[in-house]
């Protein structure tokens, strides 16, 4: 199967990486797709997000990191993909994800969404929590891949946002 794991990845966390590793074992090819036209004010640029995901996934052969703009159903067609992968951490994620999955299926009957339950050690983790901890000077090393932590520190140092 060809699968797409879409998201904002602002930044990629250990929880995302866990889903990527597990989903890559079920797929011939897994596209990690970073949304470009995000309405939320981003912590990182799309290029930075992609660079971070690439460094976190460089040892997984069948993963390709891409940017996407527009509708996910159109990306599925473009990439000839049959599945969307989504992670579910808790029941609070369900309502929104269920709506998205139904809408995507309504727009493209071939758009099947596969939900993977988050591993227990990551159920509390989110990109927004990582951003908040980082912005208040906390330690994010337990929450993001090692190379991601290093790169975020470099980016923010260059941008003069920290240290
Ligand atoms: O990491 P996120 O913010 O939960 O990711 C959300 C994402 C990118 C998966 C979702 O916003 C998305 O698929 N956006 C593309 C536009 C689209 O197809 N929307 C669904 C129909 S309204």
């Amino acid at each position: 199967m060809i699968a797409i794991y879409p998201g904002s990845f602002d930044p990629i966390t250990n929880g995302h990486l866990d889903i990527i590793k597990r989903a890559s074992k079920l797929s011939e090819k897994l596209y990690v797709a970073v949304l470009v036209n995000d309405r939320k004010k981003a912590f990182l640029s799309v290029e930075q997000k992609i660079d971070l995901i690439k460094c976190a996934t460089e040892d997984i052969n069948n993963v390709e990191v891409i940017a996407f703009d527009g509708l996910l159903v159109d990306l599925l067609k473009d990439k000839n993909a049959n599945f969307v992968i989504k992670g579910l951490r808790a029941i609070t994620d369900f309502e929104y994800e269920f709506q998205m999955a139904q809408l995507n299926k309504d727009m493209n009957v071939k758009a099947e969404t596969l939900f993977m339950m988050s591993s227990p050690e990551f159920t509390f983790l989110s990109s927004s929590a990582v951003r908040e901890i980082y912005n208040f000077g906390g330690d994010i090393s337990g929450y993001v891949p090692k190379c991601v932590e290093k790169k975020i520190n470099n980016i923010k140092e260059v941008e003069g946002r920290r240290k």
Side-chain angles (χ1 to χ4, degrees):
M1 81 174 186
I2 300 176
I4 295 181
Y5 179 39
S8 309
F9 304 103
D10 193 27
I12 182 173
T13 67
N14 286 339
H16 292 128
L17 185 58
D18 174 58
I19 298 286
I20 292 170
K21 283 181 179 163
R22 289 161 54 202
S24 70
K25 289 183 189 145
L26 305 173
S27 334
E28 285 163 59
K29 173 101 185 177
L30 176 68
Y31 291 98
V32 178
V34 180
L35 182 66
V36 173
N37 58 340
D38 203 336
R39 279 164 294 157
K40 293 173 260 176
K41 194 183 170 321
F43 174 64
L44 299 167
S45 69
V46 171
E47 294 71 28
Q48 289 166 341
K49 292 175 185 180
I50 288 178
D51 182 45
L52 265 49
I53 302 169
K54 280 187 176 165
C55 91
T57 59
E58 66 186 359
D59 56 343
I60 314 174
N61 291 332
N62 58 341
V63 166
E64 186 176 333
V65 189
I66 56 171
F68 85 105
D69 209 344
L71 291 175
L72 186 57
V73 286
D74 292 333
L75 182 68
L76 279 164
K77 281 187 201 146
D78 269 13
K79 297 294 180 193
N80 213 10
N82 358 44
F83 291 97
V84 175
I85 300 285
K86 285 297 193 83
L88 280 184
R89 287 163 301 190
I91 198 77
T92 43
D93 285 340
F94 180 77
E95 204 172 337
Y96 173 75
E97 293 299 348
F98 184 61
Q99 184 195 8
M100 283 298 124
Q102 301 281 43
L103 260 173
N104 287 334
K105 187 104 173 90
D106 195 61
M107 289 187 284
N108 172 359
V109 284
K110 291 187 186 155
E112 293 292 350
T113 303
L114 287 189
F115 291 103
M116 300 188 76
M117 300 311 295
S118 159
S119 296
E121 61 271 39
F122 302 123
T123 48
F124 61 88
L125 191 51
S126 65
S127 296
S128 58
V130 168
R131 292 195 299 273
E132 182 142 317
I133 294 167
Y134 186 87
N135 284 332
F136 284 119
D139 178 10
I140 60 167
S141 60
Y143 309 130
V144 297
K146 189 92 219 134
C147 71
V148 170
E149 185 207 352
K150 265 198 191 158
K151 279 179 181 269
I152 288 180
N153 283 329
N154 287 340
I155 290 166
K156 295 299 168 190
E157 228 173 293
V158 169
E159 288 176 356
R161 290 261 307 264
R162 202 187 192 206
K163 289 187 188 118

